[in-house]
Amino acid sequence: MNIDRWTRRATLLLATLAVLLSGCTTYVTTQVTAFSDWNGNDATRTFAFTRAPDQQNNLELATYERLVANELAAHAFREVDSANARYLVGLSYGIRSDLVTVAEPVYYNPWPGPYWGRPFDPWGPWGPFPTTYVNQTYPVFTHLLGIRITERASGKEVYNVTARNSGGESSLLRAMPYLARSALADFPLGNGVVHTVKIPRGKDGGPVNEMAATGGAPAAMPVPASGVKATE
């Protein structure tokens, strides 16, 4: 057997797999829940953000408001002074950390040396030995964004949507673009609708302009203003 030939083949195979994996698209999956009394009859959707007294100079909140404003603009909303706004938009947000324990397999091979594959090694790289498991603990972070829209004149709540996702991302700031886009992906959703939105993750870690929504509600048509499209 020509060992150098097998080594070259293995190297080429690993290189090919690396190229293929680098082209795979990863998604951020977000669960969206909406409660709605939206009539959809307004031709001009003017809005202003509303804040609690202790949030007036909150830079973090201002950053998230800009993300939400961009998503609202894709649905014909226009930000104006609060005195002239038809709607007031309030945000709530947060992050929670939990620990998840997973049993992972550990393989033992008392026979050192390279693995040549079948038919040379019929048991595979780990031999005919039983698999043992060890518990590994990992942090999981849950990110939350709530958007509440009320009529300024009457104070009536007309739309309340919550977006929630979980994963290894420890920064709420980096998760917020996905939450904002998911929350308003198919605006306006029906009352009591729960569905899932999947957004492709871009090379820079942020969302790209393609999105798929599944479960709970019919998909919205593409929105030309933002380049975002949703499919059932």
Side-chain angles (χ1 to χ4, degrees):
M1 179 191 305
N2 189 331
I3 295 179
D4 289 338
R5 183 183 64 185
W6 284 100
T7 301
R8 285 196 298 270
R9 288 184 178 180
T11 301
L12 289 173
L13 177 60
L14 291 174
T16 302
L17 288 174
V19 172
L20 291 175
L21 290 174
S22 65
C24 293
T25 302
T26 59
Y27 292 84
V28 175
T29 301
T30 302
Q31 184 183 72
V32 177
T33 304
F35 297 94
S36 176
D37 190 23
W38 192 268
N39 57 38
N41 294 327
D42 53 327
T44 303
R45 298 175 175 180
T46 55
F47 80 97
F49 286 106
T50 180
R51 296 183 176 186
D54 60 346
Q55 295 179 318
Q56 294 305 312
N57 298 309
N58 190 318
L59 288 176
E60 180 183 14
L61 176 56
T63 301
Y64 300 156
E65 285 176 345
R66 299 279 60 81
L67 293 172
V68 172
N70 289 338
E71 300 302 328
L72 286 171
H75 300 283
F77 281 87
R78 181 169 59 89
E79 188 172 4
V80 297
D81 183 84
S82 59
N84 299 313
R86 178 171 181 179
Y87 300 106
L88 296 178
V89 178
L91 305 184
S92 58
Y93 53 88
I95 184 171
R96 186 184 70 196
S97 175
D98 296 295
L99 293 176
V100 175
T101 300
V102 180
E104 296 187 344
V106 175
Y107 303 101
Y108 170 66
N109 182 4
W111 300 330
Y115 166 58
W116 303 113
R118 291 179 174 82
F120 308 106
D121 184 353
W123 291 296
W126 304 290
F129 303 99
T131 302
T132 60
Y133 291 84
V134 295
N135 289 332
Q136 297 286 352
T137 301
Y138 301 96
V140 175
F141 300 91
T142 300
H143 319 98
L144 177 72
L145 170 66
I147 302 174
R148 183 173 183 260
I149 303 178
T150 60
E151 291 181 340
R152 182 183 63 85
S154 65
K156 175 185 176 183
E157 181 179 272
V158 293
Y159 200 70
N160 193 326
V161 62
T162 302
R164 183 192 312 268
N165 61 36
S166 299
E169 177 56 70
S170 60
S171 169
L172 180 60
L173 176 61
R174 287 195 288 266
M176 191 57 67
Y178 296 96
L179 294 172
R181 184 167 297 183
S182 299
L184 296 167
D186 295 309
F187 179 87
L189 293 171
N191 187 51
V193 167
V194 178
H195 76 161
T196 300
V197 178
K198 294 176 63 178
I199 301 178
R201 187 191 299 273
K203 293 182 179 179
D204 60 352
V208 298
N209 285 331
E210 292 182 2
M211 178 165 44
T214 59
M221 294 298 292
V223 182
S226 67
V228 173
K229 66 178 181 179
T231 57
E232 188 65 27

